[in-house]
Amino acid sequence: MDLDGYMRALPKAELHLHIEGTLEPELLFALAQRNGVRLRYPSVESLRKAYEFEDLQSFLDIYYEGAGVLRTERDFHDLARAYLQRAHADGVRHAEIFFDPQTHTSRSVPIEAVIEGLTTAFREAEKEWGLTTKLILCFLRHLSEEDALETFDRARPHLDHIAAVGLDSSEKGHPPVKFRRAFAKAKAEGLGAVAHAGEEGPAEYVWQALDELKVSRIDHGVRCAEDAALVERLKREKVPLTMCPLSNVKLRVFDSIEKHNLKSLLEAGLRVTVNSDDPAYFGGYVLDNFRAAQSALDLLPEDLAALARNSIEASFLPKAAKAALVAEIEALKP
Ligand code: ADE
Ligand code: ZN
């Protein structure tokens, strides 16, 4: 098997994926037409051309605008189905998927339509492809904690569909501690917790996510490298980092993939994983991220197997399901 076939065949879990970030321009235009939404771009090509970002905020502005075409349960189903089909083709066996309810409820789209649409597609993917999923409800950190608490109350009747809460959107100036009560409430209901930290924000936000929000994974976390004591802690406590190399280059966290610290942190013994973040905007799905990291950082087959194993072990899957997938990884020869 060549290296590309090996990367595809490795059983992988995708743990950092915003479903709204999988909205490809073609589907965006089709949904705009279906829902009678006027767009300020004349064509798919002109929209794609606008995907040049200076930083996280310049991306988020266009990402929230794009999400405006998502109106009905069917739209959320079609969005999730398209992603899951693509993930299946990349050898993703399990996906833990973020959604941003506030982006939709603020436009009067009921949270029920969002959750029903997504979970219908999830059930189809499991039945047709054996691809399992979990749903993670993210709070938008640029909004208030009161808004997050209200959102959690709206989600309360649907908690059987939700595995964990997360924290995303504009990082700078919005420290994790702002959401301490919202995370405590979610944890009291038995949900897991993850948070974006150390993407654009400082290493201090990673400490806060661990200590104040009690998260079990850090999304991105690349800026941990600026704090040796933090790196030591992440290693000691085996805290997974859900890294997204193509995203980090598109949003100028690193100048190039060659400069990405994924390999050095993997070699330092951290539980690094590879993910796609917002693939429709950043130029690649999970296998594209593996390919880019492999060639730029000269990752060896054992590095690739470690990344895949880390993703399975860092997931919220039950022990037996993890063991079965890890055994498949061990048995796969490059
Ligand atoms: N929402 C979607 N993608 C994001 C990212 N990379 N960082 C923060 N919030 C996001
Ligand atoms: Zn993200």
Side-chain angles (χ1 to χ4, degrees), residues 16-18 56 59 63 98 167-169 196 199 219-220 242 244 247 276-278 282:
H16 186 156
L17 182 281
H18 302 264
L56 175 58
F59 154 68
Y63 160 87
F98 298 137
L167 186 64
D168 64 2
S169 192
H196 284 56
E199 177 188 15
D219 298 312
H220 294 295
T242 64
C244 310
S247 162
S276 67
D277 207 4
D278 301 283
F282 300 151

Side-chain angles (χ1 to χ4, degrees), residues 68 100 139 146 150 161 195-196 208 235 273 276:
D100 290 335
F139 300 122
E146 281 61 41
E150 236 172 71
H161 288 302
H196 284 56
Q208 276 189 23
K235 180 182 171 182
T273 68
S276 67

Side-chain angles (χ1 to χ4, degrees), residues 61-130:
D61 293 342
I62 211 163
Y63 160 87
Y64 293 131
E65 184 183 351
V69 302
L70 296 162
R71 298 277 169 99
T72 66
E73 182 179 322
R74 184 177 160 210
D75 299 341
F76 287 94
H77 164 271
D78 293 355
L79 177 70
R81 184 167 173 95
Y83 161 69
L84 289 164
Q85 186 154 27
R86 185 61 216 266
H88 169 60
D90 276 5
V92 172
R93 304 285 291 275
H94 175 70
E96 300 192 345
I97 297 176
F98 298 137
F99 77 118
D100 290 335
Q102 288 151 298
T103 299
H104 313 300
T105 53
S106 66
R107 300 179 289 115
S108 304
V109 175
I111 196 166
E112 287 72 24
V114 181
I115 293 175
E116 278 302 313
L118 296 177
T119 55
T120 300
F122 291 2
R123 283 191 296 276
E124 291 169 4
E126 181 156 8
K127 200 161 155 221
E128 291 176 39
W129 307 310

